[in-house]
Amino acid sequence: MNDDLNISSLLRSRLDALEPPDSLPSETAARAKRRRRQSAALSVLGLVAVGIVAALFANSVLGTDLFDAAGREVAAHRLTPSRVAELGLCARDDHHPRSLINNLYRSVLMLQDGSDPFPYVPVKRREIRRISRTVWTFRASGVRFEARTVSPRKDCWVLASVTTVGAPPPVEKLTAEESRVSFDLDWGKAQSADVFLSDRPSEAEAAVAFSDTPGSAVAFSVYLFVPTEQPFFASVALSRNGHVVSLEQGWYRAP
Amino acid sequence: MAVPVEGGRLEELYLQHGRPAFRLACLLTGDEQEAQDIAQEAFVRLGGRLVTLLDPDRAAGYLYRTIANLSRDHGRRLRRDRSLRDRLRSPERPVSSELGDRDEVWRALMRLSIRHRTVLFLRYYLDMSEASAANALELSVPATKSATNRAAKALRAELGGQR
């Protein structure tokens, strides 16, 4: 191609006359060696840094924050109770929906016999540094209860659950509006409703509506999971038919 | 003075690629003194990578790429210096080794981008195949082909504009 030849000859005519030194300057070899050593040292440092980051990541996902990661999955509605059971995470009490979640969180909440119908006993495991809870019991009679919990901490997880006691009342509706979760309870099998997790880690909301069934009771349990031993601030509001009937807020500590 | 390095491999590479490397640096910087420095620095860097660059083609590609990158850095430094001088209103630094005003063709070449000059050098001066030039530039073969066409077109435009 004529153009090619022109460009080649143009370049040759201007560059061929330029001659470099006959050999490399004497310090070139020493500089190259130094550079190679620096590169090797940087590679090792890089590997160490990658290892540290990987270890931190593994620890955060698989270690103490395991429940946190799992909670996110539940909150994102990717992990249904049946899926949890499939994964073998549910072994304690298959007919109790909450136990699925409890097992998932590596915590054990046991219903005890006695006068108090809600003596859930949180058993601390190594993976969970902190569990707190607030329980209310109400007589339910054609009312709608809502529990809303907020913590300014972004590294804690809030769970709201509802449990009925006595004769299981017919449920008209059971939703957690803000978390966009809805469950239909099978009252013939369990007296306990399910656990609600919000999409946002530090907030949870559960709502339930009952028809007139005197003599039944309902409890909202709010569990706050924080991955540190530090005290944390949280507020829990319970409303009935849209009006706040109970507001509790303050600093919570490990039991 | 010849320098035996890495069993003479660096020196061997210098004997093989020293001349074109220097000329590429001249083409990219327009300054013989700078070209010598850049070529030496490129060989230093190549010497630091000899363990991993066992394939001679890859070593050459690395060398030419390094020269292009160093020349680009040099250009940036030069522009900063000029800007500073303009602000300080000091006279232009006299550079005895500049190849700048040799002729119209040279000036046209100097107006091309570093990438265009590099690809023209590899394809038209060294007669590298598209695949080898692509390897040296770390581009795909189609991208290298396209860059070559654009560079030739730009050079023709520069020369046409002068005439």
Side-chain angles (χ1 to χ4, degrees), chain A residues 3 14 16 21 23 31 36, chain B residues 1 6 41 103 125 156:
Chain A
D3 268 350
R14 275 142 192 95
D16 279 353
S23 60
R31 285 181 59 200
R36 195 165 52 250
Chain B
M1 183 174 57
E6 295 289 329
E41 179 61 27
D103 64 11
Y125 186 78
R156 279 197 295 274

Side-chain angles (χ1 to χ4, degrees), chain A residues 142-144 169-175 182-184 187 208-213:
Chain A
V143 293
R144 175 187 174 87
V171 174
E172 290 179 352
K173 193 177 179 185
L174 180 63
T175 59
S182 178
F183 289 93
D184 291 320
W187 292 98
V208 63
F210 295 94
S211 61
D212 286 332
T213 308

Side-chain angles (χ1 to χ4, degrees), chain A residues 65-75 78-81 83-85 87-92 97-108 125 127-128 159 195 197 225:
Chain A
D65 293 330
L66 175 64
F67 78 94
D68 195 35
R72 282 199 185 96
E73 201 169 29
V74 172
R78 289 195 300 269
L79 206 56
T80 60
R83 177 66 182 143
V84 172
L87 293 171
L89 293 171
C90 171
R92 181 162 300 278
R98 187 187 293 124
S99 67
L100 305 179
I101 307 297
N102 292 343
N103 279 324
L104 182 64
Y105 279 86
R106 300 284 197 274
S107 67
V108 182
R125 293 278 296 267
E127 292 87 346
I128 295 180
L159 278 77
V195 173
L197 281 163
F225 297 80

Side-chain angles (χ1 to χ4, degrees), chain A residues 1 3-5 7-33 35-36 39, chain B residues 1-3 5-6 10-11 14 19 22-23 26 32 40-41 43-45 47-48 51 99 102-103 105-106 120-121 124-125 127 152 156 159:
Chain A
M1 204 160 69
D3 268 350
D4 292 4
L5 291 174
I7 293 172
S8 295
S9 59
L10 284 178
L11 290 173
R12 285 186 200 294
S13 63
R14 275 142 192 95
L15 295 175
D16 279 353
L18 299 169
E19 284 297 331
D22 290 337
S23 60
L24 283 167
S26 54
E27 78 274 12
T28 308
R31 285 181 59 200
K33 198 172 179 181
R35 193 176 176 85
R36 195 165 52 250
S39 297
Chain B
M1 183 174 57
V3 187
V5 187
E6 295 289 329
L10 190 59
E11 184 64 20
Y14 184 76
R19 189 168 281 127
F22 169 69
R23 288 172 182 165
C26 285
E32 255 186 285
Q40 189 199 353
E41 179 61 27
F43 274 98
V44 167
R45 294 190 184 191
V51 179
L99 299 161
R102 295 168 79 196
D103 64 11
V105 173
W106 187 257
L120 287 178
F121 181 86
Y124 291 101
Y125 186 78
D127 285 330
R156 279 197 295 274
L159 290 171

